[in-house]
Amino acid sequence: MSTPAPARRTPGELLRERGQFTDDIVAVRMGGKLVDVHTPIASDAEFSVVRKGEPLALEVIRHSAAHVMADAVQRLFPGTQVTIGPSIDSGFYYDFDRPDGPFTEKDLQAIEAEMRRIIKAHKPFYREEVTREAAQQLFGSMGEKYKLELIDAIPEGEAISLYRHGSPGRPEGTWVDVCRGPHVPDTGHIGAVKLTSVAGAYWRGDERNPMLQRVYGTAFTSEAELAEHLKMLEEARQRDHRKLGKELELFMFHEYAPGMPFFLPRGASVYHGLVNYIRSLYVDYGYEEVITPQIFDKRLFATSGHLENFLENMYLPVTADALAKGESGVKQELEWATQKPMNCPSHCLMFGQRRRSYRELPWRVADFGRLHRFERAGVLHGLARVRSFCQDDAHIFCTPDQLEPEIAAFNQLLFGVYRAFGFENVSVKLALRPEKRLGSDELWDRTEAALESALLQSGVPFEKLEGEGAFYGPKLEFHVTDALKRSWQLGTIQLDYAMPERFGLEFIGNDGAGHTPIMLHRAILGSLERFFGIYLEHVGGKFPTWLAPEQAILVTVSERQAEYANKVHDELAASGLRIILDISADKLGAKIRTARLMRHPYIVVIGDDEAANGMLSVRSRDAGELGKLSVSEFRERLLNESKPPQVAKPSRSEGSS
């Protein structure tokens, strides 16, 4: 006789029966998953409580705050339709279709006040499961067309749950949404809220769909935590890379090349500094650099699998010859030509251009070639999301025995580079097979096990991300925390058995037989454009001396010191230092203010006394006034600070050929 399944009860009911339910409980955790106190679970299930003040609690609090915001909006602005309202790392948002036009700052203040009233009332949340037909009837009667579309998209057989907050047993006194949860026990758990901004957002991220209004907000358990967060947001606004890029004359954008940045001379100097720094490390780590074409026959990307899995993000170029032939010529050319969105397939062509021996492996091939990907206009965002970019891209072809040493050597290089840029807090995530993928389950089992084994051997802590791998293989993601405590994913290493097989790549093993190499896709900074923007915000525009566009500016008190200033400039520049002059007739105070705004590492003032005695009055951006230094003393100081940070060389056991 089969054992009956245990009765299902909510965590809230179970905790109350045990006398363990307290006012600070927000949700529970079961097997790494957050579950609210409203959702039925097996009565014998093991779980731990999540209390206010714990990081996990914020996700539940913010999701619930999004519902309260939508409730407040529909109370204040009848006729507004709701779409989706998730929690995000910095808070929450909800997308609205408001027929009366955009929300104003005054509207946000009114919504926020109404939210506080709902929160103060401690209105309970409660959950109910309904049939698809009942959900459709409910939201259809409310005129919520977007909710009907979301309900239609719920897979057959999946439970449909509604969440209400208001008065239990009185549906007419509640606000309701179709939602998986989780949510807090009642609105009073939300604490302090603040609406931060409003922006346009296309329904489902598609510009062919209606434009909605996305209202952003954040929530914390206390006013003190909220105040600290708002202070950080203001700092983030001041450090916004788009703002700094304009103020510091680093880069620009133009409507003639949407999503494709123009790096101005100062920005190009920093950009080349990043590339040259990574390039210099490749010597010790055994990488060889190559250059590959920009335009390819589409058969290359059909072979790699990108045409099937990445076509919507690829550019299809057309030549003048094709245009002259009319529609048939254009159609024919589109059938073969595509612009390169990634380097890996061309590196496979290089590997396969001749027979290779196991003695030549690992082969580490690096490529700083430009890439082009079509991103929707709605997701473009400064340097963080662009259509034209470069990666510190490389691919490693190796044998199975070399896999773990190669990953270990890459980790050593990556962590060393991140320390050099001041990113000390790095977390590692193992991204596992996505739903849309190449290769068999057996192949994915093998590749995922190999990456996990390499991590365990290296002793690096990590967490798993289900369904987040690339379509051709699992990957490690490296996330850094910046000066504003924000997390960014930068580097990655991806394990790929599929692409070498698709290209028929082989090496001759020590047994004389042909074998398929393993391919590792890896990057440290990732997109140079995106890293530039993140790092610019991390340092607030104050680039270190070795990377700064200009390492020092010489400022004269009057035109009398121009000759001496020019002599000092030439002497310092001859040592390879990046020095600029301001010998204009402007007042000294104005010159210094301008120099400070440009965040030069050093401002050197030259007056009559300095010119007469061959000295310099030096002010360090980071260390303050240094007093008077001789030209040679200042030159030595700058030369020492011009050396890029060192990264440890790999040992012979760490991925050496």
Side-chain angles (χ1 to χ4, degrees):
M1 182 182 295
S2 61
T3 304
R8 295 178 67 79
R9 309 286 299 283
T10 69
E13 291 169 339
L14 295 171
L15 288 168
R16 287 186 179 93
E17 287 176 3
R18 301 169 190 172
Q20 298 173 344
F21 193 91
T22 54
D23 289 342
D24 62 344
I25 293 176
V26 173
V28 302
R29 181 162 57 175
M30 293 179 54
K33 181 182 177 183
L34 276 174
V35 178
D36 59 35
V37 299
H38 318 286
T39 301
I41 60 174
S43 57
D44 61 351
E46 293 186 4
F47 59 83
S48 58
V49 298
V50 176
R51 302 180 187 275
K52 288 182 183 179
E54 296 180 23
L56 280 175
L58 278 181
E59 179 183 335
V60 187
I61 287 170
R62 289 168 174 172
H63 189 183
S64 301
H67 279 225
V68 170
M69 178 174 70
D71 180 9
V73 165
Q74 292 195 312
R75 288 170 185 260
L76 296 172
F77 306 99
T80 301
Q81 293 196 45
V82 295
T83 60
I84 57 171
S87 64
I88 55 178
D89 287 343
S90 59
F92 59 88
Y93 70 79
Y94 220 113
D95 288 347
F96 300 99
D97 186 353
R98 184 189 176 200
D100 295 336
F103 291 109
T104 65
E105 184 62 34
K106 187 176 179 181
D107 293 334
L108 295 190
Q109 292 172 9
I111 296 166
E112 197 176 294
E114 182 67 11
M115 289 177 68
R116 291 197 180 99
R117 192 189 67 77
I118 298 169
I119 290 168
K120 190 176 180 180
H122 287 263
K123 293 186 176 292
F125 276 85
Y126 59 102
R127 179 182 187 272
E128 57 183 301
E129 288 192 12
V130 298
T131 64
R132 185 181 304 272
E133 293 73 23
Q136 290 169 332
Q137 182 177 356
L138 172 63
F139 288 97
S141 68
M142 297 163 61
E144 296 282 4
K145 64 179 182 181
Y146 298 99
K147 288 298 177 185
L148 290 175
E149 191 172 329
L150 291 171
I151 292 166
D152 288 342
I154 297 174
E156 287 292 336
E158 184 174 317
I160 297 177
S161 57
L162 308 181
Y163 276 84
R164 297 179 182 270
H165 62 266
S167 304
R170 291 183 54 230
E172 70 280 1
T174 63
W175 187 85
V176 61
D177 196 4
V178 57
C179 178
R180 290 192 180 96
H183 287 288
V184 294
D186 67 61
T187 60
H189 284 72
I190 293 172
V193 295
K194 177 68 178 177
L195 300 187
T196 54
S197 63
V198 61
Y202 291 107
W203 170 233
R204 294 192 158 178
D206 189 334
E207 65 262 34
R208 294 168 294 187
N209 288 336
M211 172 67 79
L212 306 173
Q213 293 183 70
R214 177 168 294 177
V215 179
Y216 287 96
T218 193
F220 289 88
T221 54
S222 71
E223 291 290 348
E225 291 174 309
L226 175 61
E228 180 64 25
H229 177 75
L230 295 178
K231 180 181 176 183
M232 189 185 74
L233 284 183
E234 179 56 33
E235 178 68 16
R237 276 191 284 270
Q238 295 302 318
R239 290 178 181 233
D240 189 309
H241 74 276
R242 296 165 298 178
K243 175 178 179 287
L244 291 176
K246 184 176 181 179
E247 292 174 353
L248 301 180
E249 299 180 9
L250 298 170
F251 57 86
M252 58 169 274
F253 288 89
H254 196 280
E255 61 181 312
Y256 290 171
M260 300 183 183
F262 294 70
F263 283 90
L264 302 170
R266 300 187 80 243
S269 173
V270 175
Y271 194 97
H272 288 308
L274 295 173
V275 171
N276 291 334
Y277 180 59
I278 297 297
R279 181 176 275 145
S280 71
L281 300 175
Y282 283 166
V283 176
D284 289 335
Y285 278 79
Y287 288 85
E288 297 180 281
E289 194 173 334
V290 298
I291 300 172
T292 48
Q294 288 288 308
I295 309 293
F296 285 94
D297 188 302
K298 77 169 189 178
R299 288 176 295 172
L300 175 70
F301 296 102
T303 302
S304 69
H306 288 95
L307 205 62
E308 176 185 353
N309 293 277
F310 204 74
L311 181 61
E312 66 273 14
N313 293 110
M314 296 171 69
Y315 277 99
L316 305 175
V318 179
T319 65
D321 287 347
L323 290 173
K325 294 175 183 176
E327 184 178 339
S328 60
V330 172
K331 186 170 186 281
Q332 183 180 14
E333 190 153 292
L334 288 177
E335 288 176 351
W336 77 263
T338 183
Q339 197 152 354
K340 178 175 66 174
M342 65 281 298
N343 294 307
C344 38
S346 57
H347 293 176
C348 287
L349 295 183
M350 287 180 157
F351 185 95
Q353 56 100 16
R354 64 172 174 80
R355 286 170 63 87
R356 295 182 185 272
S357 163
Y358 72 97
R359 298 180 185 276
E360 298 177 74
L361 302 183
W363 187 43
R364 310 177 189 95
V365 53
D367 195 333
F368 290 102
R370 292 219 66 77
L371 304 174
H372 292 82
R373 297 180 186 175
F374 178 70
E375 299 282 3
R376 301 285 184 188
V379 301
L380 297 175
H381 180 79
L383 296 179
R385 198 74 176 264
V386 292
R387 290 173 172 169
S388 173
F389 61 99
C390 162
Q391 294 176 321
D392 62 330
D393 197 14
H395 296 91
I396 302 169
F397 297 89
C398 65
T399 68
D401 291 342
Q402 294 166 338
L403 179 61
E404 289 188 15
E406 284 303 308
I407 294 174
F410 171 73
N411 285 348
Q412 179 182 331
L413 174 59
L414 176 138
F415 280 99
V417 169
Y418 288 173
R419 283 192 295 270
F421 285 106
F423 295 116
E424 298 290 342
N425 187 349
V426 184
S427 61
V428 182
K429 303 180 191 297
L430 172 56
L432 304 175
R433 68 193 74 183
E435 185 175 337
K436 190 176 182 181
R437 60 184 182 267
L438 300 176
S440 65
D441 287 343
E442 180 184 0
L443 184 63
W444 278 87
D445 290 341
R446 183 155 40 109
T447 55
E448 289 173 349
L451 269 185
E452 185 168 359
S453 174
L455 283 173
L456 293 171
Q457 289 290 329
S458 66
V460 176
F462 66 95
E463 66 173 289
K464 295 181 180 180
L465 298 178
E466 300 290 341
E468 296 294 321
F471 70 85
Y472 48 77
K475 61 181 178 178
L476 299 184
E477 296 178 355
F478 298 87
H479 297 247
V480 304
T481 301
D482 69 8
L484 296 177
K485 301 179 182 178
R486 300 170 301 185
S487 180
W488 304 93
Q489 194 240 306
L490 294 180
T492 181
I493 185 165
Q494 303 168 4
L495 180 54
D496 187 355
Y497 286 86
M499 200 173 298
E501 289 182 352
R502 292 172 74 95
F503 279 92
L505 303 184
E506 278 192 349
F507 67 92
I508 304 303
N510 59 3
D511 58 358
H515 302 272
T516 303
I518 299 170
M519 186 178 186
L520 294 172
H521 307 247
R522 47 110 298 177
I524 299 171
L525 305 183
S527 158
L528 268 293
E529 282 70 10
R530 184 169 177 271
F531 181 84
F532 191 115
I534 292 170
Y535 187 62
L536 177 58
E537 294 185 4
H538 179 59
V539 299
K542 297 178 181 179
F543 293 111
T545 305
W546 69 271
L547 190 60
E550 304 89 19
Q551 296 165 316
I553 181 170
L554 308 181
V555 177
T556 55
V557 175
S558 70
E559 295 177 348
R560 292 193 303 273
Q561 300 90 37
E563 182 179 351
Y564 175 66
N566 274 294
K567 178 183 175 183
V568 172
H569 170 272
D570 293 346
E571 185 176 339
L572 295 174
S575 298
L577 298 169
R578 299 184 295 278
I579 311 296
I580 58 172
L581 272 171
D582 186 350
I583 56 175
S584 67
D586 294 340
K587 292 183 178 181
L588 179 61
K591 292 181 182 182
I592 292 176
R593 279 194 299 274
T594 300
R596 285 178 175 171
L597 288 173
M598 298 305 285
R599 297 163 170 79
H600 302 300
Y602 288 93
I603 299 174
V604 178
V605 176
I606 299 175
D608 287 339
D609 186 59
E610 287 82 9
N613 295 289
M615 301 295 285
L616 304 171
S617 289
V618 181
R619 185 187 190 283
S620 164
R621 180 192 64 202
D622 303 320
E625 297 293 342
L626 301 180
K628 291 188 178 181
L629 301 176
S630 68
V631 176
S632 60
E633 287 174 328
F634 183 56
R635 179 177 61 243
E636 288 307 307
R637 184 184 183 97
L638 275 186
L639 286 173
N640 284 333
E641 292 185 17
S642 296
K643 298 173 184 175
Q646 297 297 304
V647 172
K649 297 181 180 181
S651 65
R652 293 192 64 82
S653 62
E654 291 175 325
S656 297
S657 300

